[in-house]
Amino acid sequence: MSHMYNLAIIGAGPAGIATAVESYLLGIRDIILFEKDENHNSTIRKYYKDNKRVDKDWKGQKVELDGRIYFVDGTKETTLDFFDEILANHSVELKTHTEVQKIEKRDGYFEVFIAGSSITAKYVVVTIGRMGKPNKPDYKIPPEIKSRVGFTLDGCVGGEKVLVVGGGDSAIEYAVDLSGQNSVFICYRRETFRRANPTNQRDIANAISHKEVEPILGIDIVSLESDEGRVKVIFNDIEPRTFDRVIYAIGGTTPSAFLASSGIKEEDGKPVHDDNYETNVKGLFVAGDITQESGGSIALGLNHGYAIACHIQEQEQ
């Protein structure tokens, strides 16, 4: 058997980092934190625009922090700096560019499988975010235009005719941000942007009223086609239009296949867990936005990490 870690955590977002740090502060050692991307908090890095406001009380949801990680309102940049600092100040082994393939329960421990090898741990916490698997449209994207269809602002170069698809906070922020250097349209299947927070509702209304963003509301997209290398969008109730780029911001999906392969049960699209976030597999926990109805609250993720750390400490006494 290889070295036995006390705690293995999959996903280095707020909930994963909080679980590691709160556990360390409670005296737990031999903690390893896996992240498939190149750094922690990849969702914030990829899906938050520069200088995006990051609030503790996400969407106005008041959350009292339970643990010893004191998180306050800030921006994308200050939030990343904050997590850099708390990771640097505690002995947590962070393994980036490492994707966990599955988890198997053995006799009193877990085997965590990664590419070409595995590690063993007494406890495992899964904190994979929904945005690690962004929702994609039901229709196929033709291969010849895939480079012009994305789920983040990566690849946007300015001076383009861009369609943003979605009606939540990310979609609005993408549209408003891109409107400074592009001709921007936003397509949403509903007539209003009521899902978005009040600030973003105000921003998109202002952008539309000043003709900086053109809305296509109450309309569904049927399919995409190639139009001489550009993206031809086929709508259900209006004539097709062609764009240089299409960006989807339509949320994320629970990683059901991974959860199932690890023996974790799901109900209503969420993993089953108790008040301590322990799943039906004893010693295997879930935390972060895969446990939440709408996801996204950093403060709730921090509280999940604290609750799990406290429960593990109790089990070890």
Side-chain angles (χ1 to χ4, degrees), residues 278-307:
E278 191 169 23
T279 69
N280 56 289
V281 182
K282 187 172 178 59
L284 180 55
F285 300 78
V286 288
D289 68 4
I290 59 171
T291 70
Q292 301 172 39
E293 288 294 337
S294 57
S297 172
I298 291 175
L300 282 177
L302 299 181
N303 283 352
H304 295 173
Y306 177 70

Side-chain angles (χ1 to χ4, degrees), residues 91-109:
S91 294
V92 175
E93 185 180 348
L94 174 60
K95 290 284 191 182
T96 58
H97 296 292
T98 306
E99 185 168 6
V100 173
Q101 298 168 337
K102 66 176 179 177
I103 305 159
E104 288 188 2
K105 183 76 180 279
R106 304 297 190 190
D107 184 18
Y109 68 94

Side-chain angles (χ1 to χ4, degrees), residues 7-34 40-41 66-71 80-94 125 127 287 301-310 312-313:
L7 177 59
I9 303 164
I10 300 150
I17 293 172
T19 304
V21 171
E22 296 286 8
S23 297
Y24 179 86
L25 291 171
L26 289 172
I28 298 169
R29 297 294 183 268
D30 269 351
I31 301 169
I32 187 166
L33 180 58
F34 292 109
H40 63 81
N41 284 296
D66 298 328
R68 285 186 270 185
I69 298 175
Y70 186 66
F71 179 72
L80 293 174
D81 288 345
F82 171 79
F83 284 110
D84 275 337
E85 183 177 352
I86 64 172
L87 273 174
N89 290 337
H90 302 88
S91 294
V92 175
E93 185 180 348
L94 174 60
V125 184
T127 70
L302 299 181
N303 283 352
H304 295 173
Y306 177 70
I308 292 168
C310 291
I312 291 175
Q313 184 199 40

Side-chain angles (χ1 to χ4, degrees), residues 14 44 48 52-67 69-76 78-79 82-83 197 292 295-303:
I44 293 176
Y48 286 27
K52 172 180 166 63
R53 181 180 175 87
V54 180
D55 294 328
K56 179 181 80 68
D57 296 326
W58 185 73
K59 288 190 175 180
Q61 183 180 16
K62 301 291 184 183
V63 177
E64 295 299 323
L65 294 171
D66 298 328
I69 298 175
Y70 186 66
F71 179 72
V72 297
D73 297 346
T75 64
K76 169 184 177 178
T78 63
T79 299
F82 171 79
F83 284 110
N197 66 46
Q292 301 172 39
S297 172
I298 291 175
L300 282 177
L302 299 181
N303 283 352

Side-chain angles (χ1 to χ4, degrees), residues 270-284:
K270 299 192 302 296
V272 175
H273 60 82
D274 63 15
D275 291 343
N276 297 307
Y277 302 96
E278 191 169 23
T279 69
N280 56 289
V281 182
K282 187 172 178 59
L284 180 55

